[in-house]
């Protein structure tokens, strides 16, 4: 089971979060049938979104939207306080040859564009407060750097963000995935940032650690070195959408009687596919008839 932890370090002057997201990324790939490069890109965004939303309160929602001018066109991920995350890429077939070091050319399929973070609170109980929206132009396109760039420019938090998705040529294709996010708060001693930077520089590769079975807490320890930390929350995370047959029915009925009638007469039914999870809902003639009677 995938796990997400968050906490504080260096006398509460540094926010830390880490996650193992292997199953989440596998499920995203299975649902969207993404190409290798698109799988890595989506996996990084899903993992970064979970890390950024690790301390969400009940009824909060956090959305990360990458508006890309490259072949992938867009990447969207959304997470709720209970550790659910869902997401998709606009073009799941976007792909490029692997680079000479074996890594996937995520920046190549993303290209230029904009990186958005949308924070909403109270949305599920109908309290529609103004969402907070922050954005930065995409500088890197490798995703981890874009999260760090966003945190620095939009939230004034110097950060270290490491995101890893490792693929293998045989099923289940996604070997492992995970990430770490360290946010330095304004109250931090300037030496702390230098220490963390140095520890990360000399730490083993994140990907190797996850491959060798590291837990989320192991990843934190590896990044923080000798700096003290305390874990404030831990939750299981998974790829999960909130669509349902009932919601599909609601959506189709909102198209109006004329539209529903023509679906019944011409198509003898209706289908609706959820963009976030690629689940298809099929309504038969009876379902449509019931809708017209209601
Ligand atoms: Zn869905």
């Amino acid at each position: 089971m995938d796990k997400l932890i968050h906490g504080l370090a260096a006398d509460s002057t540094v926010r830390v979060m880490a996650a193992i997201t292997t199953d989440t990324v596998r499920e995203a790939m299975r649902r969207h049938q993404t190409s290798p490069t698109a799988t890595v890109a989506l996996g990084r965004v899903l993992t970064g979104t979970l890390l950024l939303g690790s301390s969400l309160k009940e009824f909060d929602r956090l959305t990360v939207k990458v508006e890309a001018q490259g072949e992938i066109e867009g990447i969207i991920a959304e997470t709720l306080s209970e550790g659910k995350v869902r997401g998709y890429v606009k073009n799941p077939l976007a792909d490029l040859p692997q680079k000479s070091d074996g890594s996937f050319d995520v920046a190549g399929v993303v290209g230029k564009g904009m990186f958005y973070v949308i924070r909403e609170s109270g949305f599920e109980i109908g309290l529609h407060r103004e969402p907070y929206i922050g954005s930065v132009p995409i500088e890197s396109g490798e995703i981890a750097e874009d999260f760090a760039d966003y945190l620095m420019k939009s939230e004034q938090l110097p950060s270290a963000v490491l995101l890893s998705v490792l693929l293998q040529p045989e099923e289940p294709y996604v070997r492992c995935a995970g990430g770490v996010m360290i946010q330095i708060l304004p109250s931090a001693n300037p030496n702390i940032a230098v220490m963390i930077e140095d520890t990360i520089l000399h730490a083993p590769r994140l990907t190797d650690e996850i491959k060798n079975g590291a837990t989320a807490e192991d990843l934190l320890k590896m990044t923080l070195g000798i700096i003290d930390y305390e874990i404030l929350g831990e939750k299981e995370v998974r790829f999960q959408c909130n669509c349902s047959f009932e919601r599909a029915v609601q959506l189709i009925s909102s198209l109006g009687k004329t539209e529903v009638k023509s679906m019944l007469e011409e198509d003898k039914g209706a289908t609706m596919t959820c963009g976030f999870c690629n689940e298809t809902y099929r309504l038969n003639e009876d379902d449509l008839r019931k809708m017209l009677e209601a």
Side-chain angles (χ1 to χ4, degrees):
M1 189 46 142
D2 287 349
K3 211 151 249 179
L4 172 66
I5 58 172
H6 74 102
L8 288 166
D11 295 323
S12 305
T13 62
V14 176
R15 265 191 226 137
V16 297
M17 30 295 231
I20 299 292
T21 55
T22 308
D23 292 335
T24 303
V25 180
R26 278 181 188 158
E27 181 66 7
M29 184 196 161
R30 189 187 69 77
R31 286 186 168 273
H32 294 295
Q33 300 288 303
T34 37
S35 76
T37 316
T39 301
V40 175
L42 178 58
R44 287 184 191 168
V45 173
L46 288 167
T47 305
T49 303
L50 281 169
L51 294 171
L52 199 58
S54 59
S55 56
L56 285 182
K57 305 276 184 303
E58 203 182 357
F59 307 122
D60 284 358
R61 174 164 67 178
L62 183 131
T63 308
V64 171
K65 207 166 101 186
V66 179
E67 260 181 28
Q69 288 165 17
E71 200 192 342
I72 204 160
E73 295 172 25
I75 314 170
I76 292 97
E78 190 189 279
T79 183
L80 304 171
S81 59
E82 321 91 277
K84 287 186 213 162
V85 69
R86 59 179 189 164
Y88 65 97
V89 297
K90 286 195 179 152
N91 177 11
L93 301 178
D95 205 11
L96 279 174
Q98 272 169 270
K99 294 194 272 191
S100 54
D101 65 355
S103 64
F104 288 89
D105 194 358
V106 172
V109 294
V110 169
K112 293 282 163 224
M114 289 295 287
F115 184 94
Y116 294 92
V117 173
I118 302 148
R119 295 177 191 273
E120 294 161 279
S121 59
F123 86 101
E124 244 184 2
I125 42 175
L127 282 175
H128 277 292
R129 299 195 192 100
E130 271 307 288
Y132 164 83
I133 305 174
S135 67
V136 288
I138 295 168
E139 298 275 353
S140 150
E142 287 290 339
I143 308 301
E145 291 83 346
D146 301 296
F147 271 96
D149 201 39
Y150 160 80
L151 283 163
M152 185 67 222
K153 289 179 185 156
S154 197
E155 302 196 11
Q156 286 74 50
L157 295 171
S159 306
V161 184
L162 307 171
L163 301 172
S164 167
V165 176
L166 180 67
L167 301 188
Q168 61 186 19
E170 65 278 1
E171 283 195 75
Y173 306 114
V174 178
R175 171 85 184 262
C176 61
V180 177
M181 188 179 277
I182 311 281
Q183 302 174 354
I184 316 259
L185 301 175
S187 53
N189 181 316
N191 293 332
I192 289 291
V194 180
M195 275 172 80
I196 291 172
E197 211 173 301
D198 191 63
T199 309
I200 291 176
L201 199 66
H202 295 98
R205 279 182 66 223
L206 185 80
T207 309
D208 294 334
E209 293 300 293
I210 303 172
K211 192 171 73 183
N212 294 333
T215 62
E217 190 169 353
D218 292 336
L219 301 184
L220 264 194
K221 278 186 203 150
M222 181 190 106
T223 321
L224 291 170
I226 57 164
I227 300 167
D228 277 336
Y229 66 89
E230 72 173 312
I231 292 173
L232 299 176
E234 175 176 332
K235 56 189 151 196
E236 290 183 344
V237 295
R238 65 203 168 278
F239 187 104
Q240 193 181 320
C241 195
N242 58 7
C243 64
S244 62
F245 184 78
E246 287 68 34
R247 286 200 185 198
V249 168
Q250 271 177 18
L251 258 164
I252 288 174
S253 88
S254 72
L255 299 173
K257 281 210 156 147
T258 326
E259 190 65 27
V260 174
K261 229 179 233 165
S262 93
M263 284 173 174
L264 178 63
E265 282 158 14
E266 288 163 33
D267 310 324
K268 315 280 178 220
T271 58
M272 212 211 83
T273 301
C274 172
F276 269 104
C277 69
N278 220 16
E279 190 77 36
T280 297
Y281 297 97
R282 285 171 218 288
L283 281 73
N284 60 26
E285 290 177 76
D286 275 350
D287 297 324
L288 295 178
R289 248 181 241 121
K290 255 185 248 160
M291 209 182 275
L292 286 170
E293 283 160 17

